[in-house]
Amino acid sequence: MKYSDDEILQALKSGQDRDVLKYIYNTHFPKVSRYIKHNSGNQDAAFDIFQDSIMVFYRYVKEDKFDPKYDIGAFIFTVSKNLWLNRLR
């Protein structure tokens, strides 16, 4: 099933997030994984960074800090990229 960004945010806020989180992983992990693998990383590092990014995103949504005008995929990728660059330093 495909979810819109609004549906994802509502599901996370309401606690009905199991299927939505699976969707996020299936949709956005490949891009993050490719980026990390092409920048001195491996699959395990990509998974760890992605997991941390999902936690940041989840916390932003729960604390009502995520601005819905932003694209969820772009937010997760940017957080992942920044976490990876910090780890490389």
Side-chain angles (χ1 to χ4, degrees):
M1 179 173 192
K2 186 174 182 177
Y3 295 94
S4 70
D5 284 1
D6 287 336
E7 291 171 326
I8 290 170
L9 296 175
Q10 288 302 323
L12 293 175
K13 288 178 183 179
S14 70
Q16 304 295 320
D17 51 22
R18 187 174 200 200
D19 291 335
V20 168
L21 289 172
K22 286 181 186 177
Y23 171 78
I24 291 171
Y25 273 88
N26 291 334
T27 305
H28 301 294
F29 178 69
K31 183 177 179 181
V32 171
S33 179
R34 246 186 334 273
Y35 173 79
I36 290 173
K37 286 180 188 177
H38 285 110
N39 288 284
S40 305
N42 59 33
Q43 187 73 10
D44 289 337
F47 183 77
D48 290 344
I49 291 294
F50 189 75
Q51 181 74 19
D52 291 345
S53 299
I54 294 299
M55 294 305 297
V56 169
F57 170 65
Y58 189 81
R59 190 172 344 111
Y60 266 60
V61 171
K62 286 297 212 179
E63 294 174 358
D64 212 23
K65 293 180 181 179
F66 184 79
D67 189 340
K69 73 179 180 183
Y70 296 112
D71 179 72
I72 290 173
F75 180 86
I76 291 170
F77 182 78
T78 300
V79 171
S80 297
K81 182 178 175 183
N82 289 335
L83 289 172
W84 181 244
L85 293 173
N86 285 338
R87 186 179 285 185
L88 287 177
R89 290 184 196 135

